[in-house]
Amino acid sequence: MNDGEILFKKPTYPINNSLAEYLKRFDRISKVPIYYDDLLRFSGFINVYDKQEVDTLWIRVYYNEFERNEIDLTLKKIYSLLHSDGNLDIIKFLNVDSIDYCTFGNSKPFRIKVRNILNDNYTHFYVKKADASRVYGLELEHILSPDKINFLVYEETLVEEHIMGIPGDVFIKTLLEDCSDTEKSQIAKEFVKFNERCMIRLLGDMRAYNYVIVPIHDFDQVVYRIRPIDFDQQCYEGNFKIYRPQFFKENYPMVKLVKDKLQESSIEQYKNEERAVLAKRILSAETRIKRLLKIMGQDLIAPDEHVQQLKNDLYKYTNDLNFKNAKRMGNVLTAAFRFVTRNFKNANLFKPGF
């Protein structure tokens, strides 16, 4: 299970002009100036603890009065852009309850809690350093996932909406054991599909704390979905196993669940279902994806040795020569998408018509 180990911290890759133009074309550029570095100028902080009084490694930060007023106004405007049409009339009904700073991980994000003072409903969003890998990951999630995601970029700053759900590590530790057999089988099915989805789109580092479990109440049951929440490792690592959640030791309880609850034939069925769904989404958004992949294919978002290792691993896995010809990570992902859509089209050629 340790074959999926990540050895080095990933560097931040800048957003190039082509990607910036793409983001502008699809309304991902913030109209409100916001800078990550401005939030770093806090004057004090306290530690944030969870309900069990365990240190979360987040700190709640404070600013002097003049800076706090300016920061609060900017964050309210950003909230309006992210969740509405940017109408500033709603600002008078909003309050920035807290600004928390994460002291670990690559992105070191700020978590902003905004509350509607009329009804006490609140939501969160995150402010991070903009990174090309993360932006590509977010955009691919928006296009290829059934769950759309909002984010904005302003120069070197990235704003992401909060993805709701139970952190995978928390779910595994506190809730998984109490699930019914039917629920465990359904979770195992979802993990197989999640594993396949991450592998095909080359989203890495899906350890348990980098995805959430989303329980959905149907009329006679609870079904579960798995969503990634960290897109830092989109098309970066060279080790193919990094893109397969099954190889992280943190996910061993989920892997064991799959082995205990699903037969090999069912596992293959769910893999095929997920490939077919992804192929349909790729084909339905073909123009937008081609535009994005062209930019990725010209962008430097990983060292050459990572590209060489990954394309060789994928060639061994698929025997597809298109991987051999890839020069950048964007080309590797293009080959992966072509492999999936080509097999989907070929499979449909042999299906009987009406």
Side-chain angles (χ1 to χ4, degrees):
M1 300 297 291
N2 292 324
D3 290 337
E5 185 180 358
I6 295 175
L7 301 178
F8 302 104
K9 182 179 178 181
K10 175 188 162 295
T12 297
Y13 288 96
I15 294 174
N16 64 25
N17 291 335
S18 297
L19 180 54
E21 283 298 314
Y22 172 94
L23 295 172
K24 183 178 180 181
R25 164 71 176 78
F26 291 101
D27 295 323
R28 297 296 197 186
I29 299 296
S30 171
K31 301 177 181 67
V32 176
I34 181 169
Y35 297 97
Y36 174 89
D37 289 347
D38 286 344
L39 297 181
L40 288 173
R41 298 202 304 266
F42 49 86
S43 56
F45 66 88
I46 60 172
N47 293 333
V48 177
Y49 296 89
D50 64 17
K51 293 178 180 178
Q52 284 73 43
E53 296 301 317
V54 176
D55 192 342
T56 63
L57 302 181
W58 287 78
I59 58 175
R60 186 147 298 162
V61 300
Y62 300 96
Y63 303 84
N64 65 52
E65 185 176 353
F66 172 76
E67 287 197 322
R68 179 66 193 234
N69 291 336
E70 184 180 353
I71 287 171
D72 276 13
L73 180 59
T74 300
L75 294 176
K76 290 175 187 177
K77 290 178 180 177
I78 289 295
Y79 171 90
S80 177
L81 275 176
L82 195 63
H83 293 285
S84 184
D85 57 359
N87 189 336
L88 300 184
D89 290 342
I90 69 170
I91 285 180
K92 58 181 176 287
F93 304 121
L94 302 177
N95 187 70
V96 178
D97 276 11
S98 62
I99 302 175
D100 297 338
Y101 177 62
C102 184
T103 57
F104 67 96
N106 259 359
S107 60
K108 289 187 164 53
F110 285 91
R111 180 177 62 201
I112 318 299
K113 180 180 178 181
V114 178
R115 178 172 56 90
N116 186 312
I117 62 176
L118 296 179
N119 51 36
D120 273 347
N121 285 330
Y122 66 86
T123 190
H124 295 89
F125 65 87
Y126 298 86
V127 179
K128 305 177 179 181
K129 276 279 190 184
D131 172 64
S133 301
R134 189 173 289 112
V135 169
Y136 287 126
L138 285 163
E139 186 65 11
L140 287 166
E141 176 72 5
H142 180 78
I143 298 171
L144 297 178
S145 166
D147 305 292
K148 304 305 179 186
I149 186 167
N150 291 323
F151 67 93
L152 295 169
V153 175
Y154 187 83
E155 295 183 4
E156 296 179 354
T157 300
L158 171 66
V159 178
E160 290 180 27
E161 74 173 354
H162 173 66
I163 298 174
M164 291 185 289
I166 305 165
D169 56 336
V170 174
F171 184 89
I172 290 169
K173 184 179 178 180
T174 64
L175 298 172
L176 181 58
E177 187 177 342
D178 294 330
C179 290
S180 68
D181 286 341
T182 301
E183 289 171 342
K184 287 179 179 177
S185 295
Q186 201 267 332
I187 293 167
K189 168 187 171 182
E190 285 303 311
F191 187 78
V192 169
K193 292 192 169 193
F194 178 66
N195 190 77
E196 195 72 9
R197 190 159 64 246
C198 292
M199 179 187 71
I200 292 170
R201 57 166 287 190
L202 299 182
L203 177 62
D205 194 18
M206 281 299 110
R207 285 173 279 190
Y209 48 78
N210 284 333
Y211 59 81
V212 293
I213 311 293
V214 184
I216 302 171
H217 290 262
D218 201 357
F219 69 94
D220 63 349
Q221 63 177 332
V222 178
V223 296
Y224 295 86
R225 297 289 181 265
I226 303 178
R227 292 190 65 184
I229 58 172
D230 191 330
F231 303 91
D232 183 63
Q233 291 280 347
Q234 176 68 53
C235 294
Y236 173 74
E237 291 289 342
N239 182 354
F240 181 38
K241 289 182 178 178
I242 297 295
Y243 303 101
R244 304 172 74 185
Q246 69 188 82
F247 288 107
F248 287 105
K249 63 180 183 294
E250 293 86 350
N251 292 330
Y252 176 71
M254 302 293 267
V255 175
K256 186 176 185 302
L257 199 65
V258 171
K259 290 180 178 178
D260 291 345
K261 296 295 180 181
L262 302 180
Q263 297 179 1
E264 283 297 324
S265 58
S266 295
I267 293 173
E268 285 304 310
Q269 173 196 338
Y270 297 142
K271 285 181 179 180
N272 290 333
E273 286 179 4
E274 192 60 28
R275 288 177 201 149
V277 167
L278 272 176
K280 290 175 183 177
R281 290 179 186 146
I282 292 168
L283 292 170
S284 66
E286 192 170 13
T287 302
R288 184 166 178 171
I289 287 179
K290 279 184 177 179
R291 189 191 299 251
L292 186 66
L293 291 177
K294 182 179 179 181
I295 296 168
M296 286 185 75
Q298 298 168 348
D299 202 354
L300 178 63
I301 53 174
D304 285 342
E305 57 267 28
H306 288 194
V307 178
Q308 294 301 318
Q309 180 186 359
L310 183 59
K311 74 178 192 179
N312 288 334
D313 283 355
L314 284 166
Y315 173 69
K316 292 175 185 175
Y317 188 74
T318 64
N319 291 319
D320 188 338
L321 284 172
N322 286 319
F323 289 109
K324 281 278 191 180
N325 299 325
K327 293 181 173 60
R328 294 280 177 91
M329 277 297 188
N331 307 134
V332 177
L333 188 60
T334 299
F337 284 0
R338 285 177 178 170
F339 180 83
V340 170
T341 55
R342 184 172 62 249
N343 286 346
F344 173 73
K345 289 177 179 178
N346 289 342
N348 283 338
L349 286 176
F350 299 101
K351 287 183 179 179
F354 292 105

